[in-house]
Amino acid sequence: MPIQRRAMELLGDFVSWRMRSLMISVSEPEEESLRVLMMAGHGYGNLGDEAQLAANIERWRRQVPGVRLQVWSPHPAYTVRQHGICAEPAPRVVWFDANRNGAYGASTEGFQAQFWRVRERMLKAAERLNRGLHPWGINDAELALLKQIRQAHLLHVSGGGFMTGSTRSRLWETCLVLNLAHVMGTPAVLSGQTIGVFEMEEDRQLALWGLEHAAVIELRDAGASEAEVRALGISGEHVYSRFDDALFCTRAEPGKVRGLLTSLGVEGDYIAANCHHWNQGSQMREKAIRQFSRLCDVLAERSGCPVVLVPMHESDQSAQQHAAEAMSCESVLVPYEEGFDYRLARGVFADSLGVISFKHHPLVFALGEGVPTLSVSVDPYYDHKNHFALALFGQEDYSLTADRFLSAAAEQVATTWLSRLDEERRRIKAFGAELKKEEMAFIESAARVASESV
C-alpha cells in the first residue's frame, strides 16, 4: 500500500509539473515587463509607512517605464485605493491571521511556536515548487504567495523600522520571505531600513538567515545599522547607508495646506508637533506627556506662535489630546480623518517654523523640506531611528533621547534650537541638496539586479 501511495504521489507530481510547463509556455510572452514584488509596513494607515511605499512606487515608475509592480498588504483594498497599485494579502495575514489574531502583533509565545511550523512547511513547499513538483501541505493562499515570489523578477523590501528586535513578529516574517525568495531564485533588495536594536540571540540568528543572500541592503541609520549588520556577519559593498525612503516623497500643494490650517483657525506662523505613545507604561506616559507639553509651552511662548499637533496615525489622537490639555499655550489638533493623507501631513510640517516630534516620519518629512526639527523620545527604538535621521543632516545636537529629554537640560536645548532656526534651516537645505542627487540611486541598483534575473 505505501508503494502504491508513493507511486500516485509521483504521478501527481509529474502531472502537476507538466501542466505547469504547458501553462508557462502558453501564458508567458518571450519579452515582458520587469516584475517587482514589494513588501513593507504599509496598509495600516500609518502615514509614514504609506509615504515610504508611495515614494518607491513613484521612483520605480520613473526609472523603469512599464514596470509591473505588485505589493503585499494586510488590507489590499485600502492599499489599492491609496496607491492605485495591484495588492495581494500580506504573508502575515495568510500565515498568522494578523488582522484578527493579536498573537502576531504581540509576538507571543503562541506566535513564535506557529512561526516555526509555518517556516518548515513553507520551505519544504518552496523547494518542491522550485523543482516543478506539486507542493504538499500548504493551502491555496500560501501557494499563491510562493507563486508571486517565484514569478517576480525582484523582491523589494521597502523601507521602515520593522527589521528590529523591537518589532519581532515583522522581523521574523520578513526574514522568512527573504529566505523563500532565495530558495526560489528571486533576488531580493532592501531599501531605507533600520536593522538592529536586537536583544535576543534568536532574533540575530533569524536576521542573518534572512539577510545573508540579499543583493542590496540599503540602510537609513548611517553607521549604526551597518555596525549591526556587520555584527551579524554580513559585509560588502552591497551594504550601505543612504536615507529613509520617504525623505523626498510628494507633499500637498501649499494652497491645500493653507486651506486646512485656516479651517482650524491657524492664520500665521506655527510650530508643528507630533505626540505618540509607544511601548510606555502608564507612569512613563504621564512623565513624557508633561515634559513634552512643557517644551511646547516654552517654544510657543518664545516664538509667539501656536502649536499645531499633527497625527501620523489614528492612534496618535488620544496622546495628542492629552498633550494639548496639559499645555498652557494655544494649541490646535489636526483631525485624523478621511482625506488626511501623508501628502497633507508633510505639507503641514513643511510650512511650519519648526517641528518637535516623538515619531520618526514627522522629522523625515520636515528635514526633506528643509525645516529644523527637535526629536524627543523615551524608548531605544525611537532613540535609534530619530537620532540618526537628524544626524544625516548634522542636527544630532537636537535629538533628545530619554535621559536628556526628561532632564532640566531639555528646555535649554529647545530654546537654543529655537534661536537658531534660520541658521539650521540653511544647513539642512544644503545637506538635502546633496542627498537629493542620490534619490534614484537605489532604484538604479535594484533595476540592475532585477534585469540580471530576467
Side-chain angles (χ1 to χ4, degrees), residues 150-198:
R150 191 177 184 206
Q151 291 167 0
H153 296 128
L154 184 77
L155 171 68
H156 178 182
V157 182
S158 179
F162 51 86
M163 295 288 288
T164 75
S166 300
T167 51
R168 198 176 199 199
S169 53
R170 291 195 182 187
L171 170 69
W172 288 24
E173 172 200 10
T174 305
C175 287
L176 176 53
V177 171
L178 287 168
N179 207 267
L180 290 171
H182 171 65
V183 168
M184 291 188 288
T186 300
V189 296
L190 299 92
S191 65
Q193 294 289 335
T194 290
I195 296 178
V197 201
F198 298 129

Side-chain angles (χ1 to χ4, degrees), residues 398-410:
Y398 306 120
S399 173
L400 296 175
T401 54
D403 289 345
R404 295 178 75 205
F405 169 53
L406 297 174
S407 74

